[in-house]
């Protein structure tokens, strides 16, 4: 049940972004996964993080299928398989993030308040350039059509994401 809940909480995150713009989900989704990994050993925390990532990227990257199938004429079954593998591979970022959280951070007094947001920020940044980068589905992008958008030129998308994860934690 916890892994299913992790997938569901991950599925919520893309709805915080355009074109849906339900920005409160950018607080609720990280809050739910933080709750779901509390007091787990590092392996279970990593697995739950991977399921969360499958939810995030499974819901957030259907345009990859469209690009391959509609524009590159890839057969539909192959495009579905490749898009699924892409989402599952990107979910490894969350897997590692929550392994580190479970292994090194959650046992400390201020783990939720400081460690969780700091790790989220670090892994969004890593995802932006590691292995050629994937600059989509950043938490901070959900605030670009809100009153907090005025902070974007000062703190950037990562700073907005940090504000959201601090709010969630």
């Amino acid at each position: 049940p916890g892994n299913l809940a992790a997938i569901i909480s991950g599925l919520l995150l893309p709805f915080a972004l355009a074109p849906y713009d339900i920005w409160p989900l950018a607080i609720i989704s990280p809050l739910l996964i933080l709750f779901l990994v509390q007091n787990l050993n590092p392996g279970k925390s990593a697995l739950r993080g991977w399921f969360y990532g499958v939810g995030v990227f499974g819901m957030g990257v259907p345009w990859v299928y469209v690009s391959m199938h509609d524009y590159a004429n890839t057969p539909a079954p192959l495009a579905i398989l490749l898009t699924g593998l892409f989402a599952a591979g990107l979910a490894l970022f969350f897997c590692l993030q929550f392994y580190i959280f479970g292994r090194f951070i959650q046992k400390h007094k201020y783990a939720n308040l400081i460690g969780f947001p700091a790790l989220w920020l670090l892994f969004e940044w890593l995802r932006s350039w590691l292995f050629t980068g994937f600059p989509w589905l950043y938490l901070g992008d959900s605030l670009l059509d809100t009153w907090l958008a005025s902070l974007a030129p000062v703190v950037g998308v990562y700073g907005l994401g940090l504000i959201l994860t601090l709010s969630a934690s």
Side-chain angles (χ1 to χ4, degrees):
N3 292 337
L4 179 60
I7 290 173
I8 292 169
S9 63
L11 290 171
L12 295 176
L13 185 59
F15 288 104
L17 303 161
Y20 309 103
D21 294 321
I22 308 170
W23 71 266
L25 292 175
I27 296 173
I28 294 169
S29 179
L31 172 64
L32 289 174
I33 190 60
L34 177 60
F35 176 75
L36 290 169
V37 298
Q38 290 298 303
N39 302 315
L40 293 181
N41 67 48
K44 288 182 180 179
S45 184
L47 183 61
R48 201 153 288 173
W50 183 78
F51 278 112
Y52 178 78
V54 166
V56 170
F57 295 113
M59 181 61 77
V61 297
W63 56 269
V64 173
Y65 167 82
V66 172
S67 297
M68 286 192 290
H69 180 261
D70 295 357
Y71 297 102
N73 297 318
T74 305
L78 181 58
I80 291 168
L81 174 67
L82 292 174
T83 302
L85 289 173
F86 181 63
L90 285 171
L92 291 172
F93 279 101
F94 282 110
C95 179
L96 181 58
Q97 175 181 339
F98 285 102
Y99 174 81
I100 292 170
F101 181 79
R103 174 74 172 91
F104 300 106
I105 294 178
Q106 86 171 338
K107 58 188 164 200
H108 295 288
K109 185 176 181 180
Y110 297 108
N112 291 351
L113 184 60
I114 298 169
F116 177 75
L119 263 182
W120 195 287
L121 176 70
L122 173 66
F123 274 84
E124 279 197 342
W125 175 75
L126 281 173
R127 193 165 29 102
S128 73
W129 64 267
L130 192 63
F131 308 122
T132 73
F134 186 72
W136 278 271
L137 301 170
Y138 291 142
L139 203 56
D141 285 338
S142 65
L143 295 179
L144 295 180
D145 290 326
T146 70
W147 58 276
L148 288 170
S150 60
L151 293 174
V154 178
V155 299
V157 71
Y158 301 120
L160 293 177
L162 183 61
I163 289 168
L164 287 165
T165 52
L166 283 167
S167 299
S169 65

